[in-house]
Amino acid sequence: MPAPEIPDPQIAAPEVQPTADGSLTAHSARYGQSYGSRFGAVSQARQVFVEGSGTHLHPSPRILEVGFGLGQNFRATLAVTAGRPLHYLAYEFDPVPATLLRDVATSDPLAAHPAWAALLEVWNENRGQPVQLEQPGVYVDIRLEDVTLAALPRNWASAVYLDGFSPDVNPEVWSPEFLGRLADALQAGGVLVTYSAAGHVRRGLQAAGLSVERRPGPLGKREVLRAVKRLP
Ligand SMILES: C[S@@+](CC[C@H](N)C(=O)[O-])C[C@H]1O[C@@H](n2cnc3c(N)ncnc32)[C@H](O)[C@@H]1O
């Protein structure tokens, strides 16, 4: 598999877009796709990623996210984990400007969450540097690098949010080899969730040893995938 291209600073910045549930997303000119579902960005984050992985019920969630993007999944996770320690490790190799992170979150009640406010401040000050934050009960580590080249933790995540752009335009994060590395990153009983139900993704997850289930998707998506690492 060829190495992914280095993001080109000449490509137009992503533009904010409304979605059907009233939340906002943005359109990426680089990939020709939206970051979140146009049928409802917050609904997708909640149903596919947070509830699909059981994170809303987990006593001490540890999330590994492929593609931090606009932080939609992060905010949806913050919304349901109050009072329980949350570790959030995300990878992003093409970080959006802090202004876009802020603008997309304006309609989201979670924009007022102290961890989100702190993240925005650091994102703005750091300008392209990784983000590490510790707020009461929330530990955030956002690594600005190509996730396919990163040294991922092993047996660590209670949930993997696999949220790259679609396999046709962003194939490196859906390859069988990389799916195997994501499976290694899951703790026993951990759950990988993704919005893609493509056959080759399902087969790649099965080949990585996970038990894969197709679930009904949110509006605009017939099926999504949930893949569990069996207990020993
Ligand atoms: C669909 S968007 C993610 C949306 C995000 N999860 C959210 O909640 O807003 C996909 C993201 O994956 C990132 N991405 C794609 N390939 C990557 C790679 N190889 N390494 C790191 N990030 C990658 C893109 O830059 C983009 O921000």
Side-chain angles (χ1 to χ4, degrees):
M1 163 105 21
E5 286 171 45
I6 303 205
D8 180 349
Q10 301 307 315
I11 293 177
E15 282 180 18
V16 176
Q17 274 186 336
T19 80
D21 66 4
S23 61
L24 300 174
T25 187
H27 186 262
S28 163
R30 172 173 159 77
Y31 286 95
Q33 290 185 357
S34 296
Y35 284 75
S37 167
R38 65 193 169 90
F39 294 97
V42 162
S43 308
Q44 173 183 269
R46 191 176 57 238
Q47 286 178 44
V48 178
F49 294 100
V50 180
E51 294 175 3
S53 63
T55 294
H56 59 310
L57 304 173
H58 199 284
S60 52
R62 288 186 194 166
I63 311 300
L64 169 58
E65 178 170 47
V66 176
F68 182 77
L70 307 174
Q72 196 79 260
N73 294 341
F74 174 58
R75 291 195 308 282
T77 304
L78 285 177
V80 297
T81 49
R84 290 172 286 137
L86 168 67
H87 287 81
Y88 204 95
L89 168 62
Y91 288 85
E92 176 54 62
F93 75 168
D94 190 12
V96 300
T99 47
L100 180 61
L101 277 190
R102 191 198 55 218
D103 291 351
V104 167
T106 44
S107 59
D108 187 338
L110 264 291
H113 193 289
W116 179 254
L119 183 143
L120 277 188
E121 201 171 307
V122 175
W123 197 279
N124 191 34
E125 284 167 6
N126 276 15
R127 289 183 197 277
Q129 298 304 308
V131 171
Q132 281 193 314
L133 276 179
E134 204 174 315
Q135 290 280 311
V138 185
Y139 309 90
V140 184
D141 191 351
I142 304 173
R143 303 191 183 170
L144 303 184
E145 58 186 287
D146 183 342
V147 66
T148 63
L149 305 177
L152 301 179
R154 295 177 66 101
N155 303 313
W156 179 84
S158 61
V160 168
Y161 297 169
L162 174 51
D163 196 16
F165 287 110
S166 69
D168 50 328
V169 298
N170 194 189
E172 74 273 12
V173 298
W174 308 92
S175 74
E177 186 269 332
F178 183 63
L179 296 179
R181 295 186 52 220
L182 292 178
D184 282 349
L186 282 173
Q187 54 185 241
V191 183
L192 180 151
V193 276
T194 186
Y195 67 85
S196 174
H200 67 92
V201 174
R202 190 162 37 88
R203 288 188 293 277
L205 293 169
Q206 282 164 342
L210 303 180
S211 301
V212 186
E213 181 196 345
R214 280 185 284 209
R215 303 175 60 242
L219 196 62
K221 192 86 198 147
R222 198 161 57 89
E223 290 181 328
V224 297
L225 294 182
R226 178 175 195 274
V228 181
K229 187 165 180 173
R230 295 179 199 93
L231 295 168

